[in-house]
PDB file of all heavy atoms in Angstrom:
ATOM      1  N   ALA A   1      98.853 136.528  98.600  1.00  0.00           N
ATOM      2  CA  ALA A   1      98.176 135.399  99.243  1.00  0.00           C
ATOM      3  C   ALA A   1      97.000 135.909 100.059  1.00  0.00           C
ATOM      4  O   ALA A   1      97.035 137.029 100.587  1.00  0.00           O
ATOM      5  CB  ALA A   1      99.145 134.648 100.158  1.00  0.00           C
ATOM      6  N   PRO A   2      95.950 135.096 100.213  1.00  0.00           N
ATOM      7  CA  PRO A   2      94.895 135.449 101.175  1.00  0.00           C
ATOM      8  C   PRO A   2      95.494 135.503 102.582  1.00  0.00           C
ATOM      9  O   PRO A   2      96.322 134.669 102.946  1.00  0.00           O
ATOM     10  CB  PRO A   2      93.896 134.291 101.038  1.00  0.00           C
ATOM     11  CG  PRO A   2      94.198 133.649  99.718  1.00  0.00           C
ATOM     12  CD  PRO A   2      95.661 133.832  99.500  1.00  0.00           C
ATOM     13  N   GLU A   3      95.082 136.470 103.366  1.00  0.00           N
ATOM     14  CA  GLU A   3      95.614 136.596 104.730  1.00  0.00           C
ATOM     15  C   GLU A   3      95.387 135.315 105.536  1.00  0.00           C
ATOM     16  O   GLU A   3      96.223 134.927 106.355  1.00  0.00           O
ATOM     17  CB  GLU A   3      94.966 137.785 105.437  1.00  0.00           C
ATOM     18  CG  GLU A   3      95.419 139.139 104.900  1.00  0.00           C
ATOM     19  CD  GLU A   3      94.765 140.299 105.633  1.00  0.00           C
ATOM     20  OE1 GLU A   3      93.889 140.044 106.490  1.00  0.00           O
ATOM     21  OE2 GLU A   3      95.124 141.456 105.345  1.00  0.00           O
ATOM     22  N   ALA A   4      94.250 134.645 105.290  1.00  0.00           N
ATOM     23  CA  ALA A   4      93.929 133.438 106.044  1.00  0.00           C
ATOM     24  C   ALA A   4      94.811 132.260 105.655  1.00  0.00           C
ATOM     25  O   ALA A   4      94.803 131.221 106.327  1.00  0.00           O
ATOM     26  CB  ALA A   4      92.461 133.068 105.839  1.00  0.00           C
ATOM     27  N   MET A   5      95.577 132.392 104.578  1.00  0.00           N
ATOM     28  CA  MET A   5      96.436 131.309 104.113  1.00  0.00           C
ATOM     29  C   MET A   5      97.911 131.680 104.201  1.00  0.00           C
ATOM     30  O   MET A   5      98.745 131.154 103.459  1.00  0.00           O
ATOM     31  CB  MET A   5      96.063 130.895 102.691  1.00  0.00           C
ATOM     32  CG  MET A   5      94.681 130.307 102.585  1.00  0.00           C
ATOM     33  SD  MET A   5      94.319 129.647 100.953  1.00  0.00           S
ATOM     34  CE  MET A   5      92.582 129.231 101.128  1.00  0.00           C
ATOM     35  N   ALA A   6      98.223 132.587 105.109  1.00  0.00           N
ATOM     36  CA  ALA A   6      99.614 132.961 105.391  1.00  0.00           C
ATOM     37  C   ALA A   6      99.865 132.739 106.876  1.00  0.00           C
ATOM     38  O   ALA A   6      99.142 133.276 107.720  1.00  0.00           O
ATOM     39  CB  ALA A   6      99.864 134.420 105.013  1.00  0.00           C
ATOM     40  N   TRP A   7     100.860 131.925 107.179  1.00  0.00           N
ATOM     41  CA  TRP A   7     101.141 131.546 108.565  1.00  0.00           C
ATOM     42  C   TRP A   7     102.545 131.984 108.945  1.00  0.00           C
ATOM     43  O   TRP A   7     103.502 131.862 108.140  1.00  0.00           O
ATOM     44  CB  TRP A   7     101.022 130.037 108.743  1.00  0.00           C
ATOM     45  CG  TRP A   7      99.647 129.522 108.461  1.00  0.00           C
ATOM     46  CD1 TRP A   7      98.611 129.400 109.343  1.00  0.00           C
ATOM     47  CD2 TRP A   7      99.130 129.057 107.201  1.00  0.00           C
ATOM     48  NE1 TRP A   7      97.491 128.898 108.721  1.00  0.00           N
ATOM     49  CE2 TRP A   7      97.780 128.678 107.406  1.00  0.00           C
ATOM     50  CE3 TRP A   7      99.690 128.929 105.917  1.00  0.00           C
ATOM     51  CZ2 TRP A   7      96.983 128.178 106.384  1.00  0.00           C
ATOM     52  CZ3 TRP A   7      98.898 128.440 104.903  1.00  0.00           C
ATOM     53  CH2 TRP A   7      97.561 128.067 105.135  1.00  0.00           C
ATOM     54  N   ASN A   8     102.683 132.496 110.167  1.00  0.00           N
ATOM     55  CA  ASN A   8     104.002 132.908 110.643  1.00  0.00           C
ATOM     56  C   ASN A   8     104.928 131.699 110.737  1.00  0.00           C
ATOM     57  O   ASN A   8     104.518 130.620 111.171  1.00  0.00           O
ATOM     58  CB  ASN A   8     103.889 133.579 112.009  1.00  0.00           C
ATOM     59  CG  ASN A   8     103.187 134.923 111.940  1.00  0.00           C
ATOM     60  OD1 ASN A   8     103.196 135.592 110.912  1.00  0.00           O
ATOM     61  ND2 ASN A   8     102.562 135.317 113.036  1.00  0.00           N
ATOM     62  N   VAL A   9     106.182 131.902 110.355  1.00  0.00           N
ATOM     63  CA  VAL A   9     107.187 130.842 110.423  1.00  0.00           C
ATOM     64  C   VAL A   9     107.923 130.956 111.752  1.00  0.00           C
ATOM     65  O   VAL A   9     108.480 132.010 112.065  1.00  0.00           O
ATOM     66  CB  VAL A   9     108.185 130.942 109.254  1.00  0.00           C
ATOM     67  CG1 VAL A   9     109.240 129.843 109.357  1.00  0.00           C
ATOM     68  CG2 VAL A   9     107.456 130.865 107.919  1.00  0.00           C
ATOM     69  N   PRO A  10     107.942 129.900 112.550  1.00  0.00           N
ATOM     70  CA  PRO A  10     108.622 129.976 113.850  1.00  0.00           C
ATOM     71  C   PRO A  10     110.113 130.230 113.698  1.00  0.00           C
ATOM     72  O   PRO A  10     110.725 129.882 112.675  1.00  0.00           O
ATOM     73  CB  PRO A  10     108.373 128.584 114.459  1.00  0.00           C
ATOM     74  CG  PRO A  10     107.207 128.029 113.728  1.00  0.00           C
ATOM     75  CD  PRO A  10     107.285 128.597 112.351  1.00  0.00           C
ATOM     76  N   GLU A  11     110.705 130.829 114.725  1.00  0.00           N
ATOM     77  CA  GLU A  11     112.148 131.030 114.747  1.00  0.00           C
ATOM     78  C   GLU A  11     112.857 129.684 114.630  1.00  0.00           C
ATOM     79  O   GLU A  11     112.415 128.687 115.196  1.00  0.00           O
ATOM     80  CB  GLU A  11     112.567 131.720 116.044  1.00  0.00           C
ATOM     81  CG  GLU A  11     112.116 133.159 116.159  1.00  0.00           C
ATOM     82  CD  GLU A  11     112.773 134.067 115.125  1.00  0.00           C
ATOM     83  OE1 GLU A  11     113.931 133.789 114.746  1.00  0.00           O
ATOM     84  OE2 GLU A  11     112.127 135.032 114.685  1.00  0.00           O
ATOM     85  N   GLY A  12     113.927 129.671 113.892  1.00  0.00           N
ATOM     86  CA  GLY A  12     114.710 128.448 113.753  1.00  0.00           C
ATOM     87  C   GLY A  12     114.257 127.532 112.635  1.00  0.00           C
ATOM     88  O   GLY A  12     114.902 126.512 112.384  1.00  0.00           O
ATOM     89  N   VAL A  13     113.148 127.860 111.971  1.00  0.00           N
ATOM     90  CA  VAL A  13     112.668 127.058 110.844  1.00  0.00           C
ATOM     91  C   VAL A  13     113.110 127.728 109.550  1.00  0.00           C
ATOM     92  O   VAL A  13     112.744 128.874 109.283  1.00  0.00           O
ATOM     93  CB  VAL A  13     111.139 126.909 110.875  1.00  0.00           C
ATOM     94  CG1 VAL A  13     110.639 126.202 109.621  1.00  0.00           C
ATOM     95  CG2 VAL A  13     110.706 126.163 112.119  1.00  0.00           C
ATOM     96  N   ASP A  14     113.915 127.032 108.761  1.00  0.00           N
ATOM     97  CA  ASP A  14     114.436 127.637 107.530  1.00  0.00           C
ATOM     98  C   ASP A  14     113.397 127.590 106.414  1.00  0.00           C
ATOM     99  O   ASP A  14     112.320 126.992 106.549  1.00  0.00           O
ATOM    100  CB  ASP A  14     115.748 126.967 107.100  1.00  0.00           C
ATOM    101  CG  ASP A  14     115.607 125.476 106.818  1.00  0.00           C
ATOM    102  OD1 ASP A  14     114.481 125.025 106.506  1.00  0.00           O
ATOM    103  OD2 ASP A  14     116.623 124.763 106.879  1.00  0.00           O
ATOM    104  N   ASP A  15     113.723 128.255 105.290  1.00  0.00           N
ATOM    105  CA  ASP A  15     112.771 128.350 104.181  1.00  0.00           C
ATOM    106  C   ASP A  15     112.362 126.981 103.661  1.00  0.00           C
ATOM    107  O   ASP A  15     111.185 126.729 103.398  1.00  0.00           O
ATOM    108  CB  ASP A  15     113.388 129.162 103.034  1.00  0.00           C
ATOM    109  CG  ASP A  15     113.424 130.656 103.310  1.00  0.00           C
ATOM    110  OD1 ASP A  15     112.837 131.089 104.319  1.00  0.00           O
ATOM    111  OD2 ASP A  15     114.034 131.393 102.504  1.00  0.00           O
ATOM    112  N   ALA A  16     113.338 126.093 103.488  1.00  0.00           N
ATOM    113  CA  ALA A  16     113.042 124.774 102.926  1.00  0.00           C
ATOM    114  C   ALA A  16     112.083 124.004 103.815  1.00  0.00           C
ATOM    115  O   ALA A  16     111.137 123.363 103.333  1.00  0.00           O
ATOM    116  CB  ALA A  16     114.334 123.990 102.714  1.00  0.00           C
ATOM    117  N   THR A  17     112.296 124.069 105.118  1.00  0.00           N
ATOM    118  CA  THR A  17     111.427 123.350 106.044  1.00  0.00           C
ATOM    119  C   THR A  17     110.030 123.949 106.064  1.00  0.00           C
ATOM    120  O   THR A  17     109.029 123.230 106.071  1.00  0.00           O
ATOM    121  CB  THR A  17     112.042 123.356 107.448  1.00  0.00           C
ATOM    122  OG1 THR A  17     113.327 122.730 107.405  1.00  0.00           O
ATOM    123  CG2 THR A  17     111.159 122.616 108.440  1.00  0.00           C
ATOM    124  N   ALA A  18     109.953 125.276 106.081  1.00  0.00           N
ATOM    125  CA  ALA A  18     108.645 125.929 106.082  1.00  0.00           C
ATOM    126  C   ALA A  18     107.838 125.529 104.851  1.00  0.00           C
ATOM    127  O   ALA A  18     106.649 125.193 104.946  1.00  0.00           O
ATOM    128  CB  ALA A  18     108.817 127.445 106.142  1.00  0.00           C
ATOM    129  N   LEU A  19     108.480 125.539 103.687  1.00  0.00           N
ATOM    130  CA  LEU A  19     107.780 125.181 102.460  1.00  0.00           C
ATOM    131  C   LEU A  19     107.434 123.696 102.431  1.00  0.00           C
ATOM    132  O   LEU A  19     106.381 123.304 101.931  1.00  0.00           O
ATOM    133  CB  LEU A  19     108.630 125.548 101.244  1.00  0.00           C
ATOM    134  CG  LEU A  19     108.682 127.045 100.914  1.00  0.00           C
ATOM    135  CD1 LEU A  19     109.743 127.326  99.861  1.00  0.00           C
ATOM    136  CD2 LEU A  19     107.314 127.544 100.437  1.00  0.00           C
ATOM    137  N   ALA A  20     108.302 122.873 102.968  1.00  0.00           N
ATOM    138  CA  ALA A  20     108.015 121.435 102.993  1.00  0.00           C
ATOM    139  C   ALA A  20     106.779 121.130 103.821  1.00  0.00           C
ATOM    140  O   ALA A  20     106.022 120.204 103.507  1.00  0.00           O
ATOM    141  CB  ALA A  20     109.218 120.676 103.542  1.00  0.00           C
ATOM    142  N   MET A  21     106.557 121.899 104.874  1.00  0.00           N
ATOM    143  CA  MET A  21     105.442 121.599 105.767  1.00  0.00           C
ATOM    144  C   MET A  21     104.103 122.106 105.240  1.00  0.00           C
ATOM    145  O   MET A  21     103.068 121.488 105.486  1.00  0.00           O
ATOM    146  CB  MET A  21     105.699 122.183 107.160  1.00  0.00           C
ATOM    147  CG  MET A  21     106.904 121.602 107.865  1.00  0.00           C
ATOM    148  SD  MET A  21     106.865 119.799 107.968  1.00  0.00           S
ATOM    149  CE  MET A  21     108.624 119.433 107.974  1.00  0.00           C
ATOM    150  N   VAL A  22     104.074 123.196 104.505  1.00  0.00           N
ATOM    151  CA  VAL A  22     102.801 123.845 104.215  1.00  0.00           C
ATOM    152  C   VAL A  22     101.953 123.068 103.212  1.00  0.00           C
ATOM    153  O   VAL A  22     100.715 123.122 103.275  1.00  0.00           O
ATOM    154  CB  VAL A  22     103.015 125.300 103.739  1.00  0.00           C
ATOM    155  CG1 VAL A  22     103.535 125.363 102.310  1.00  0.00           C
ATOM    156  CG2 VAL A  22     101.727 126.107 103.883  1.00  0.00           C
ATOM    157  N   VAL A  23     102.539 122.340 102.292  1.00  0.00           N
ATOM    158  CA  VAL A  23     101.760 121.508 101.372  1.00  0.00           C
ATOM    159  C   VAL A  23     102.051 120.037 101.615  1.00  0.00           C
ATOM    160  O   VAL A  23     101.161 119.241 101.917  1.00  0.00           O
ATOM    161  CB  VAL A  23     102.033 121.871  99.901  1.00  0.00           C
ATOM    162  CG1 VAL A  23     101.477 120.802  98.963  1.00  0.00           C
ATOM    163  CG2 VAL A  23     101.404 123.212  99.569  1.00  0.00           C
ATOM    164  N   GLN A  24     103.317 119.656 101.519  1.00  0.00           N
ATOM    165  CA  GLN A  24     103.653 118.230 101.598  1.00  0.00           C
ATOM    166  C   GLN A  24     103.516 117.694 103.023  1.00  0.00           C
ATOM    167  O   GLN A  24     102.977 116.610 103.235  1.00  0.00           O
ATOM    168  CB  GLN A  24     105.057 118.020 101.033  1.00  0.00           C
ATOM    169  CG  GLN A  24     105.063 118.270  99.522  1.00  0.00           C
ATOM    170  CD  GLN A  24     106.425 118.606  98.967  1.00  0.00           C
ATOM    171  OE1 GLN A  24     107.273 119.180  99.632  1.00  0.00           O
ATOM    172  NE2 GLN A  24     106.642 118.249  97.716  1.00  0.00           N
ATOM    173  N   GLY A  25     103.970 118.476 104.001  1.00  0.00           N
ATOM    174  CA  GLY A  25     103.788 118.056 105.384  1.00  0.00           C
ATOM    175  C   GLY A  25     102.329 118.006 105.769  1.00  0.00           C
ATOM    176  O   GLY A  25     101.870 117.046 106.405  1.00  0.00           O
ATOM    177  N   ALA A  26     101.581 119.034 105.386  1.00  0.00           N
ATOM    178  CA  ALA A  26     100.148 119.051 105.698  1.00  0.00           C
ATOM    179  C   ALA A  26      99.427 117.912 104.989  1.00  0.00           C
ATOM    180  O   ALA A  26      98.490 117.316 105.543  1.00  0.00           O
ATOM    181  CB  ALA A  26      99.550 120.391 105.315  1.00  0.00           C
ATOM    182  N   SER A  27      99.852 117.585 103.771  1.00  0.00           N
ATOM    183  CA  SER A  27      99.239 116.462 103.058  1.00  0.00           C
ATOM    184  C   SER A  27      99.493 115.154 103.792  1.00  0.00           C
ATOM    185  O   SER A  27      98.574 114.343 103.980  1.00  0.00           O
ATOM    186  CB  SER A  27      99.790 116.381 101.628  1.00  0.00           C
ATOM    187  OG  SER A  27      99.398 117.499 100.861  1.00  0.00           O
ATOM    188  N   ALA A  28     100.746 114.927 104.202  1.00  0.00           N
ATOM    189  CA  ALA A  28     101.063 113.705 104.951  1.00  0.00           C
ATOM    190  C   ALA A  28     100.277 113.651 106.259  1.00  0.00           C
ATOM    191  O   ALA A  28      99.774 112.594 106.661  1.00  0.00           O
ATOM    192  CB  ALA A  28     102.564 113.635 105.218  1.00  0.00           C
ATOM    193  N   TRP A  29     100.157 114.786 106.941  1.00  0.00           N
ATOM    194  CA  TRP A  29      99.401 114.875 108.199  1.00  0.00           C
ATOM    195  C   TRP A  29      97.941 114.500 107.970  1.00  0.00           C
ATOM    196  O   TRP A  29      97.369 113.698 108.704  1.00  0.00           O
ATOM    197  CB  TRP A  29      99.528 116.295 108.748  1.00  0.00           C
ATOM    198  CG  TRP A  29      98.992 116.542 110.124  1.00  0.00           C
ATOM    199  CD1 TRP A  29      99.689 116.552 111.288  1.00  0.00           C
ATOM    200  CD2 TRP A  29      97.620 116.866 110.479  1.00  0.00           C
ATOM    201  NE1 TRP A  29      98.866 116.851 112.350  1.00  0.00           N
ATOM    202  CE2 TRP A  29      97.598 117.044 111.882  1.00  0.00           C
ATOM    203  CE3 TRP A  29      96.447 117.022 109.752  1.00  0.00           C
ATOM    204  CZ2 TRP A  29      96.416 117.371 112.561  1.00  0.00           C
ATOM    205  CZ3 TRP A  29      95.274 117.331 110.433  1.00  0.00           C
ATOM    206  CH2 TRP A  29      95.275 117.507 111.817  1.00  0.00           C
ATOM    207  N   LEU A  30      97.330 115.081 106.944  1.00  0.00           N
ATOM    208  CA  LEU A  30      95.925 114.808 106.657  1.00  0.00           C
ATOM    209  C   LEU A  30      95.707 113.362 106.234  1.00  0.00           C
ATOM    210  O   LEU A  30      94.723 112.728 106.634  1.00  0.00           O
ATOM    211  CB  LEU A  30      95.415 115.749 105.563  1.00  0.00           C
ATOM    212  CG  LEU A  30      95.131 117.182 106.003  1.00  0.00           C
ATOM    213  CD1 LEU A  30      95.032 118.092 104.798  1.00  0.00           C
ATOM    214  CD2 LEU A  30      93.830 117.236 106.815  1.00  0.00           C
ATOM    215  N   LEU A  31      96.605 112.833 105.408  1.00  0.00           N
ATOM    216  CA  LEU A  31      96.467 111.450 104.967  1.00  0.00           C
ATOM    217  C   LEU A  31      96.445 110.499 106.163  1.00  0.00           C
ATOM    218  O   LEU A  31      95.598 109.607 106.246  1.00  0.00           O
ATOM    219  CB  LEU A  31      97.614 111.084 104.024  1.00  0.00           C
ATOM    220  CG  LEU A  31      97.545 111.699 102.620  1.00  0.00           C
ATOM    221  CD1 LEU A  31      98.899 111.581 101.929  1.00  0.00           C
ATOM    222  CD2 LEU A  31      96.460 111.018 101.788  1.00  0.00           C
ATOM    223  N   LEU A  32      97.377 110.692 107.086  1.00  0.00           N
ATOM    224  CA  LEU A  32      97.491 109.779 108.215  1.00  0.00           C
ATOM    225  C   LEU A  32      96.466 110.059 109.311  1.00  0.00           C
ATOM    226  O   LEU A  32      95.917 109.129 109.912  1.00  0.00           O
ATOM    227  CB  LEU A  32      98.908 109.844 108.792  1.00  0.00           C
ATOM    228  CG  LEU A  32     100.001 109.268 107.884  1.00  0.00           C
ATOM    229  CD1 LEU A  32     101.386 109.643 108.395  1.00  0.00           C
ATOM    230  CD2 LEU A  32      99.865 107.749 107.772  1.00  0.00           C
ATOM    231  N   ARG A  33      96.191 111.328 109.564  1.00  0.00           N
ATOM    232  CA  ARG A  33      95.264 111.682 110.640  1.00  0.00           C
ATOM    233  C   ARG A  33      93.795 111.563 110.205  1.00  0.00           C
ATOM    234  O   ARG A  33      92.946 111.079 110.959  1.00  0.00           O
ATOM    235  CB  ARG A  33      95.529 113.115 111.105  1.00  0.00           C
ATOM    236  CG  ARG A  33      96.797 113.302 111.937  1.00  0.00           C
ATOM    237  CD  ARG A  33      96.557 112.836 113.355  1.00  0.00           C
ATOM    238  NE  ARG A  33      97.544 113.367 114.284  1.00  0.00           N
ATOM    239  CZ  ARG A  33      98.245 112.622 115.138  1.00  0.00           C
ATOM    240  NH1 ARG A  33      98.089 111.307 115.148  1.00  0.00           N
ATOM    241  NH2 ARG A  33      99.103 113.174 115.972  1.00  0.00           N
ATOM    242  N   ARG A  34      93.488 112.034 109.003  1.00  0.00           N
ATOM    243  CA  ARG A  34      92.093 112.163 108.586  1.00  0.00           C
ATOM    244  C   ARG A  34      91.648 111.085 107.598  1.00  0.00           C
ATOM    245  O   ARG A  34      90.535 110.578 107.691  1.00  0.00           O
ATOM    246  CB  ARG A  34      91.868 113.545 107.959  1.00  0.00           C
ATOM    247  CG  ARG A  34      91.916 114.704 108.957  1.00  0.00           C
ATOM    248  CD  ARG A  34      90.552 114.882 109.603  1.00  0.00           C
ATOM    249  NE  ARG A  34      90.530 115.992 110.537  1.00  0.00           N
ATOM    250  CZ  ARG A  34      89.447 116.729 110.769  1.00  0.00           C
ATOM    251  NH1 ARG A  34      88.337 116.498 110.116  1.00  0.00           N
ATOM    252  NH2 ARG A  34      89.480 117.705 111.656  1.00  0.00           N
ATOM    253  N   SER A  35      92.502 110.774 106.606  1.00  0.00           N
ATOM    254  CA  SER A  35      92.069 109.857 105.550  1.00  0.00           C
ATOM    255  C   SER A  35      92.089 108.409 105.997  1.00  0.00           C
ATOM    256  O   SER A  35      91.156 107.654 105.718  1.00  0.00           O
ATOM    257  CB  SER A  35      92.957 110.028 104.306  1.00  0.00           C
ATOM    258  OG  SER A  35      92.847 111.333 103.781  1.00  0.00           O
ATOM    259  N   VAL A  36      93.155 107.985 106.678  1.00  0.00           N
ATOM    260  CA  VAL A  36      93.262 106.573 107.074  1.00  0.00           C
ATOM    261  C   VAL A  36      93.159 106.373 108.576  1.00  0.00           C
ATOM    262  O   VAL A  36      93.066 105.239 109.030  1.00  0.00           O
ATOM    263  CB  VAL A  36      94.581 105.940 106.557  1.00  0.00           C
ATOM    264  CG1 VAL A  36      94.671 106.071 105.052  1.00  0.00           C
ATOM    265  CG2 VAL A  36      95.803 106.549 107.236  1.00  0.00           C
ATOM    266  N   HIS A  37      93.178 107.458 109.367  1.00  0.00           N
ATOM    267  CA  HIS A  37      93.047 107.363 110.827  1.00  0.00           C
ATOM    268  C   HIS A  37      94.010 106.311 111.385  1.00  0.00           C
ATOM    269  O   HIS A  37      93.601 105.332 112.015  1.00  0.00           O
ATOM    270  CB  HIS A  37      91.602 107.049 111.223  1.00  0.00           C
ATOM    271  CG  HIS A  37      90.618 108.078 110.768  1.00  0.00           C
ATOM    272  ND1 HIS A  37      90.425 109.272 111.436  1.00  0.00           N
ATOM    273  CD2 HIS A  37      89.796 108.115 109.691  1.00  0.00           C
ATOM    274  CE1 HIS A  37      89.506 109.983 110.801  1.00  0.00           C
ATOM    275  NE2 HIS A  37      89.117 109.311 109.741  1.00  0.00           N
ATOM    276  N   LEU A  38      95.299 106.523 111.145  1.00  0.00           N
ATOM    277  CA  LEU A  38      96.327 105.572 111.569  1.00  0.00           C
ATOM    278  C   LEU A  38      96.221 105.278 113.061  1.00  0.00           C
ATOM    279  O   LEU A  38      96.132 106.188 113.891  1.00  0.00           O
ATOM    280  CB  LEU A  38      97.716 106.142 111.263  1.00  0.00           C
ATOM    281  CG  LEU A  38      98.907 105.304 111.743  1.00  0.00           C
ATOM    282  CD1 LEU A  38      98.961 103.980 111.005  1.00  0.00           C
ATOM    283  CD2 LEU A  38     100.200 106.091 111.573  1.00  0.00           C
ATOM    284  N   ALA A  39      96.247 104.000 113.395  1.00  0.00           N
ATOM    285  CA  ALA A  39      96.247 103.557 114.788  1.00  0.00           C
ATOM    286  C   ALA A  39      97.613 102.984 115.127  1.00  0.00           C
ATOM    287  O   ALA A  39      98.280 102.390 114.271  1.00  0.00           O
ATOM    288  CB  ALA A  39      95.164 102.513 115.009  1.00  0.00           C
ATOM    289  N   PRO A  40      98.063 103.148 116.372  1.00  0.00           N
ATOM    290  CA  PRO A  40      99.354 102.586 116.769  1.00  0.00           C
ATOM    291  C   PRO A  40      99.419 101.090 116.481  1.00  0.00           C
ATOM    292  O   PRO A  40      98.445 100.359 116.669  1.00  0.00           O
ATOM    293  CB  PRO A  40      99.408 102.869 118.279  1.00  0.00           C
ATOM    294  CG  PRO A  40      98.528 104.062 118.473  1.00  0.00           C
ATOM    295  CD  PRO A  40      97.419 103.887 117.479  1.00  0.00           C
ATOM    296  N   GLY A  41     100.574 100.655 115.987  1.00  0.00           N
ATOM    297  CA  GLY A  41     100.792  99.249 115.711  1.00  0.00           C
ATOM    298  C   GLY A  41     100.430  98.808 114.315  1.00  0.00           C
ATOM    299  O   GLY A  41     100.759  97.686 113.912  1.00  0.00           O
TER     300      GLY A  41
END
């Protein structure tokens, strides 16, 4: 992997959770934060 695309996994985060966040979690984050700019309510 490129060094810039490897992130340390915090203690207590298992493999499944780490992998879920790096593509699917980040995608959900970007969709809501950047693509649609979700507002409360």
Side-chain angles (χ1 to χ4, degrees):
E3 289 180 355
M5 295 187 187
W7 298 271
N8 291 334
V9 179
E11 291 294 329
V13 174
D14 60 24
D15 285 352
T17 301
L19 285 170
M21 297 306 151
V22 75
V23 167
Q24 291 158 330
S27 294
W29 189 97
L30 284 163
L31 287 164
L32 291 168
R33 286 282 198 231
R34 289 275 181 149
S35 298
V36 303
H37 300 280
L38 176 65

